[in-house]
Amino acid sequence: LAFWRRVTSLCDCPVQAVMAGKTPVSKDENEILPPDHLNAVKMELDGHLNKDFQKEVFLGKEMEEFDEDSEPRRNRKKLVEIFAKVDFNKDRSVSAKEMQRWIMEKTEEHFQEATKENKNSFHAVDPDGDGHVTWDEYRAKFLASKGFDEKDVAEKIKNNEDLKLDEETQEVLESLKDRWFQADTNPADQLLNEQEFLSFLHPEHSRGMLRYMVKEIVRDLDQDGDKKLTLSEFISLPVGTVDNQQGQDIDDDWVRERKKEFQEVIDADRNGIVTMEELEEYMDPMNEHNALNEARQMIAVADENQNRSLELDEILKYSEYFTGSKLMDYARNVHEEF
């Protein structure tokens, strides 16, 4: 957790906070860093639950079209179009199986988007275009994105000279190096090809890296060192200092959400203990069983007539749950659409 907070810090704050006298970096330059948020994965790399998960697996790449500034009638029309696509058998009702199929399609869509972005990122760190990136090449590009002179860094690396890094940057580099070598598949040649670089940036694309990510999360949350998680360990992740009632309410909601997810979803055998295997299955975005459970949960939220499926008016009425937008109140407009 501490590592990912440092990575996020290095991404989000001006580089002056890392190295005095350097110029700020752009968002694009930071794309060579592993992101702290992975689309369509239920848990963040820092151990927090992904609060946008339902929106990501329902809207897919169309998420950005449902922001708070979108025109309500346009959003309503778009949601009607999505409903028609989810309703594969065209019976004007979405079953759990249909929603499961849709979730899997949208997850695959996020995978394809990550692969596409990875191609650009890989080319950015493969200066000689030989199809492989060494750790030293990546390290030079990473430090260049932090405001260091790339040629100077590369020369110092070549000559085994001290780079004179501040403690925080050095610590992030060491953690990235560990992750880098985890992504280096057999035979371990200390080079990453494009597919291995994808695993480095997006561990959800590799079973081995997904397992590594789970180990990192368990290590950070596990308080007694048994490599398993109890409910108390899972809900004890610090969320900041609570100094007023509003903050306390947020903390209480956060704990309730984590407790529900632990007891009803992650702890598959309901024995009060989450193993690495259970967490890995939970984190696996291409797990069809999880997708079906998620489909049933999504349906249950809006299934007012209790027929275990969703009609269009139910999705429209509960649009905020599916889209994340607080400005779309479809309940009053359903009949207009027809």
Side-chain angles (χ1 to χ4, degrees):
L1 293 180
F3 161 57
W4 288 111
R5 291 194 186 101
R6 289 190 294 275
V7 168
T8 303
S9 174
L10 286 176
C11 287
D12 294 341
C13 68
V15 177
Q16 284 89 339
V18 179
M19 182 78 175
K22 305 300 179 184
T23 56
V25 298
S26 71
K27 178 178 182 295
D28 290 342
E29 287 175 318
N30 279 320
E31 289 178 357
I32 64 172
L33 271 171
D36 62 332
H37 172 79
L38 303 173
N39 285 329
V41 178
K42 295 204 72 174
M43 187 176 284
E44 306 284 11
L45 290 168
D46 62 2
H48 282 278
L49 299 178
N50 176 7
K51 62 183 176 60
D52 293 324
F53 178 76
Q54 283 84 8
K55 182 170 62 173
E56 290 167 355
V57 296
F58 185 72
L59 299 179
K61 291 191 298 183
E62 296 169 323
M63 279 176 56
E64 295 179 1
E65 298 183 27
F66 288 86
D67 58 41
E68 293 186 358
D69 297 324
S70 297
E71 198 278 318
R73 288 186 64 86
R74 177 177 174 274
N75 284 336
R76 183 174 69 249
K77 181 179 179 181
K78 194 68 181 177
L79 200 54
V80 172
E81 292 173 357
I82 291 175
F83 177 86
K85 294 176 182 177
V86 184
D87 180 20
F88 293 105
N89 64 6
K90 306 305 177 186
D91 66 352
R92 298 188 179 184
S93 179
V94 170
S95 67
K97 280 290 186 182
E98 287 175 317
M99 185 68 82
Q100 177 199 31
R101 178 178 172 182
W102 180 256
I103 288 172
M104 295 301 292
E105 284 191 7
K106 295 295 103 177
T107 300
E108 179 61 32
E109 193 174 272
H110 286 299
F111 268 44
Q112 293 172 359
E113 189 68 20
T115 301
K116 179 180 177 181
E117 292 173 357
N118 177 70
K119 186 178 290 293
N120 295 329
S121 300
F122 181 77
H123 289 162
V125 296
D126 181 21
D128 54 15
D130 65 353
H132 295 87
V133 179
T134 68
W135 166 248
D136 286 341
E137 286 175 333
Y138 177 80
R139 184 163 48 142
K141 286 290 184 181
F142 167 76
L143 291 174
S145 75
K146 299 298 114 192
F148 291 83
D149 182 272
E150 185 176 349
K151 290 184 178 180
D152 180 57
V153 168
E155 187 67 23
K156 286 183 177 180
I157 290 175
K158 180 180 179 180
N159 296 326
N160 293 316
E161 297 179 30
D162 183 11
L163 296 177
K164 298 180 180 179
L165 305 177
D166 63 278
E167 184 178 351
E168 185 177 26
T169 304
Q170 183 61 44
E171 198 171 348
V172 169
L173 265 178
E174 288 299 319
S175 297
L176 286 172
K177 184 178 181 180
D178 184 35
R179 182 185 177 111
W180 180 274
F181 287 105
Q182 288 289 332
D184 186 12
T185 57
N186 292 326
D189 53 9
Q190 300 186 13
L191 302 171
L192 295 193
N193 59 30
E194 188 172 316
Q195 185 61 39
E196 290 168 330
F197 192 72
L198 175 64
S199 297
F200 171 72
L201 291 184
H202 291 273
E204 75 277 19
H205 286 249
S206 161
R207 193 72 187 191
M209 285 299 290
L210 184 66
R211 191 170 296 119
Y212 172 73
M213 182 170 68
V214 166
K215 287 180 180 178
E216 291 286 287
I217 291 175
V218 170
R219 185 194 66 184
D220 287 327
L221 299 182
D222 178 22
Q223 297 174 4
D224 59 12
D226 64 355
K227 298 182 181 180
K228 300 176 183 177
L229 298 179
T230 62
L231 176 61
S232 62
E233 288 172 330
F234 191 71
I235 66 176
S236 64
L237 188 66
V239 294
T241 303
V242 176
D243 55 8
N244 54 46
Q245 186 57 47
Q246 183 180 12
Q248 183 64 59
D249 291 342
I250 292 173
D251 270 19
D252 289 345
D253 289 342
W254 183 86
V255 168
R256 277 193 296 270
E257 181 184 4
R258 289 183 72 86
K259 184 175 181 180
K260 181 179 179 181
E261 195 73 8
F262 181 97
Q263 294 176 328
E264 298 181 10
V265 184
I266 308 176
D267 183 14
D269 58 10
R270 304 292 192 269
N271 69 346
I273 300 291
V274 166
T275 64
M276 285 191 182
E277 290 75 21
E278 285 177 321
L279 189 58
E280 185 179 331
E281 289 302 305
Y282 170 78
M283 295 280 286
D284 182 5
M286 296 307 291
N287 186 317
E288 293 188 2
H289 177 70
N290 286 353
L292 182 58
N293 285 337
E294 194 65 40
R296 288 168 176 159
Q297 289 182 48
M298 293 173 74
I299 288 174
V301 168
D303 184 19
E304 289 196 337
N305 62 11
Q306 298 296 301
N307 66 349
R308 298 184 180 180
S309 62
L310 290 181
E311 284 69 51
L312 179 58
D313 61 332
E314 291 173 326
I315 285 185
L316 295 179
K317 184 173 182 179
Y318 288 85
S319 61
E320 183 178 325
Y321 173 77
F322 294 100
T323 67
S325 172
K326 292 179 170 54
L327 297 183
M328 292 183 289
D329 180 6
Y330 296 112
R332 295 189 301 269
N333 303 312
V334 172
H335 296 294
E336 291 180 22
E337 191 62 37
F338 296 102

